[in-house]
Amino acid sequence: MQPMQFIDGQRTSGTGRTHTLVGPATGEVLGTYALASAADVDAAVAAARRAYPAWRRRTPAERADLLLALADGLAARAGELAALESRQTGKSLRLAQEFDVPGSIDNVRFFAGAARQLHGLAASTYWDGATSMIRREPLGVVGSIAPWNYPLQMAAWKVLPAVAAGNTIVLKTSEMTPGTSLLLAQTAAEAGFPPGVLNVLAGDGPECGEALVSHPDVVMSSFTGSTRVGRRVMELASAKGSRVHLELGGKAPLVVFADADVEAAARGAVAGSLINGGQDCTAATRAIVHSSLFEAFTSRVGALMESVRVGDPSDLATDMGALISTGHRDRVAGFVDRARAEGATVVTGGGIPEPAAGTASAPTAFYSPTLLTGVGRDSEIWREEVFGPVLVAVPFETDDEAIELANDTPYGLAASAWTTSTNRALRAADEIEAGTVWVNEHIPIMSEMPHGGFKASGFGKDMSHYSFEEYTQIKHVLIDRTEGPVRAWQSAVFSA
Ligand code: NAD
């Protein structure tokens, strides 16, 4: 059994039940380990609590130096991180090399700089004879929970603003994908992070996750995952009245207006819907296409999807690897099968790709890039998050209808609008209810810009300076400059 917990600067074994790690693209057993139990949560939170007073007193420059050393350590391990990320998730090595790992390292460098820009408003006089100032302070021990789709990136998004601002953290990774988060913690320790500042637990949701959110010494819970579990996290945190930050599910629209460049929109739709096998909260899932372009758009997307090479993730020629598990693959297939039974047309895909299915001795988790048309607005496939390589396309006639369709979802994480008209672009940016609206693009994220949802996609921001709103609190300090014992305003209370 491998030691898969990182507590108080040490790689250690959990004390929970045994978990088996399976490579989704090969079906092979990658190892077994003991999950983190509630007792391990106690140990990790205690370590984070011990580390907090000294960590919060470090100067921003000292924290920034450690973050820069961490970035260098991760860069030196980039190849190892990408290979591990690909092996544990089934995603293509090329995506891990070009997206997950460099994006995470850039995040570390961004927060090294941002750590030194954390000031409140300038001091001034707002009360006669006194000076007020604002301090922006850390919260204490943060408990964060991450999903399996981008394990390293999600760990980075959670850990970096928290520790840059002077908090200490216990991060719970998905039990299916602990490897790269542990390597992040180990690299931080090697870079000189003091024990207890960054702890990583590999545990399940019901035992480890709930114990972390409910722990009395965890002052803030930051969660990325499904809307259902996010609401449970909020409920648990409400019992002790602590802060939450929720990054939840999505059902992103991709709106193709009548004046759009169809080729650009089709390419954007394929990249935007298939990135990470569609297991991306911002993935394009609903193409809303002007009727005059519908035929050209769907036939081009279908052709491009058929050209996508699905297979062995470790082959750099592979475009799309496996989904996270056979269970999740079956869930995705269920959505498509039910849509088909209700009368949807499968333009392409809709099944398990032949070559990939035959190459391994154990069951593997591949699913074909899929485009569906002929779906109704009340259908499950239009409303629910599938989290797989599945795009549905519907036609519209007027711009009003397009905007209404885009907003016809409880979610509001991301959206894109494809148009050559400035007016249409600005209208879409104004009226689409989502935390990100891309124009003539779909997916790009960067460390300087915030990521977070509207509506049922949650609240609070990851990345950028805005993330510090979640991980800091504002203190007003007033210093009176009056000479002598009497303060004029006190006469309102007593006149002696
Ligand atoms: P999930 O909600 O099932 O699990 C997310 C995390 O929560 C995991 O670590 C899991 O172990 C933990 N968890 C499960 N039950 C829990 C409980 N009762 N208490 C505490 N923790 C619990 O989600 P998933 O299947 O791992 O990830 C896919 C989901 O994540 C999708 O809905 C996707 O849209 C969302 N997501 C959102 C963003 C974003 O930035 N908004 C980013 C990535 C993924």
Side-chain angles (χ1 to χ4, degrees), residues 412-437:
L413 190 58
S416 64
W418 297 76
T419 176
T420 51
S421 145
T422 309
N423 283 351
R424 281 194 170 119
L426 291 174
R427 181 175 177 198
D430 181 20
E431 295 186 21
I432 295 181
E433 300 158 352
T436 297
V437 176

Side-chain angles (χ1 to χ4, degrees), residues 145-150 154 157 172-176 203-211 213 223-230 232-233 236 246-250 279-282 328 385 387 411 413 451-453 457 462:
I145 296 179
W148 46 256
N149 60 340
Y150 294 106
M154 295 302 107
W157 289 10
K172 188 198 92 59
T173 69
S174 166
E175 70 272 36
M176 289 186 278
D204 67 6
E207 182 177 358
C208 178
E210 297 214 0
V213 177
F223 172 83
T224 297
S226 62
T227 295
R228 182 185 62 78
V229 177
R232 174 72 181 142
V233 166
L236 291 170
L246 302 178
E247 293 283 1
L248 308 177
Q279 302 162 120
D280 183 310
C281 50
T282 62
H328 185 61
E385 187 181 37
F387 224 52
Y411 296 109
L413 190 58
H451 167 90
S457 294
D462 281 325

Side-chain angles (χ1 to χ4, degrees), residues 268-350:
V270 172
S273 63
L274 301 187
I275 185 167
N276 210 37
Q279 302 162 120
D280 183 310
C281 50
T282 62
T285 60
R286 298 178 299 133
I288 297 162
V289 186
H290 191 262
S291 59
S292 64
L293 304 178
F294 194 74
E295 179 53 39
F297 175 85
T298 51
S299 59
R300 185 65 181 139
V301 169
L304 286 170
M305 280 187 170
E306 277 159 27
S307 75
V308 166
R309 288 159 296 191
V310 182
D312 177 3
S314 68
D315 181 346
L316 285 173
T318 293
D319 296 316
M320 198 178 100
L323 304 188
I324 188 66
S325 65
T326 51
H328 185 61
R329 191 267 322 270
D330 292 346
R331 186 175 167 276
V332 170
F335 277 108
V336 174
D337 292 347
R338 287 188 294 278
R340 197 178 350 221
E342 282 177 14
T345 302
V346 180
V347 178
T348 188

